[in-house]
Amino acid sequence: MWVIERSAKRLQLLREVVPGLSRVAVLWHPNAYSERTMAGLLHEMEGAARTLGLQLQLVPAFGPEDVVGAFAAMAREHAGALIVMPSPMLFGEYKRIVRLAANGRLPAMGAAREFVDLGGLMSYGVNQVDLARQTATFVDKILKGANPAELPVEQPIKFELVINLKTARELAGTVSGEFESLLVADDVIE
């Protein structure tokens, strides 16, 4: 599933921009998706962390009220960076998560460009506009009489890396000044 497959890429990209990174906090919403999907997501993330020589600190947030406490746990465990996993609930908390990460000088990566638009360091995830276009195509087919049960399942086809240079400058000394990922970034926000 596309949600699972992007986890390893996020870890890899974060490791590239945070020199000496050894411990990554992962803010996740345990009930965001099915139990099977969440188990697969964590399994892939843990495997990628082992391959990259990183330690993970899994920090659950069951609801918005858990976000502040999650950051306290990250600070206690000396996280060097943060990945915010895909979740509708966490998406709704992006503004607060970005603020808390900035206050703690914690380089943070989200799953959607909106995270970067709000001041997060970077994101890697589905291009929401492209996903909406795919959805509109399905709606059009259904409105023209297609049976929804007979339409093929499609996965998102466009993923994007977005970087916030202003946030990178504010995190100077915490993130790489070179930002080699800029060479492959789909969008850079000044």
Side-chain angles (χ1 to χ4, degrees):
M1 178 176 202
W2 62 270
V3 173
I4 295 172
E5 295 166 356
R6 301 301 136 214
S7 300
K9 185 69 173 176
R10 287 185 187 100
L11 265 179
Q12 177 188 2
L13 288 166
L14 197 54
R15 183 171 177 241
E16 287 176 18
V17 301
V18 180
L21 182 64
S22 62
R23 188 167 183 82
V24 179
V26 178
L27 184 61
W28 69 298
H29 177 204
N31 302 324
Y33 304 104
S34 72
E35 191 174 318
R36 179 179 172 196
T37 298
M38 295 310 292
L41 187 138
L42 293 178
H43 178 73
E44 185 201 4
M45 181 71 78
E46 290 166 344
R50 276 191 302 279
T51 300
L52 295 168
L54 297 171
Q55 265 190 316
L56 291 185
Q57 176 193 4
L58 299 174
V59 186
F62 291 90
E65 65 281 356
D66 297 329
V67 172
V68 172
F71 273 85
M74 291 175 215
R76 277 192 308 276
E77 297 293 323
H78 307 289
L82 166 66
I83 290 181
V84 182
M85 296 307 300
S87 154
M89 184 276 292
L90 292 175
F91 185 90
E93 293 298 312
Y94 269 2
K95 187 173 187 175
R96 183 162 43 151
I97 292 168
V98 165
R99 181 177 44 79
L100 290 165
N103 289 346
R105 295 193 45 78
L106 192 62
M109 172 179 252
R113 83 165 292 121
E114 289 79 0
F115 187 80
V116 180
D117 291 340
L118 289 167
L121 176 62
M122 57 197 296
S123 69
Y124 182 72
V126 174
N127 178 300
Q128 299 292 333
V129 173
D130 190 58
L131 190 59
R133 280 190 199 106
Q134 282 181 271
T135 302
T137 301
F138 274 88
V139 170
D140 182 58
K141 289 176 183 179
I142 293 167
L143 290 175
K144 289 179 178 173
N147 180 350
E150 295 174 1
L151 293 174
V153 174
E154 291 186 18
Q155 303 252 348
I157 54 174
K158 185 171 182 187
F159 297 87
E160 62 184 358
L161 170 63
V162 183
I163 298 171
N164 188 319
L165 285 182
K166 180 180 181 234
T167 301
R169 285 186 203 103
E170 290 170 0
L171 290 168
T174 305
V175 298
S176 171
E178 311 247 340
F179 248 91
E180 293 174 23
S181 294
L182 288 175
L183 300 174
V184 297
D186 296 292
D187 198 4
V188 177
I189 296 173
E190 285 286 340

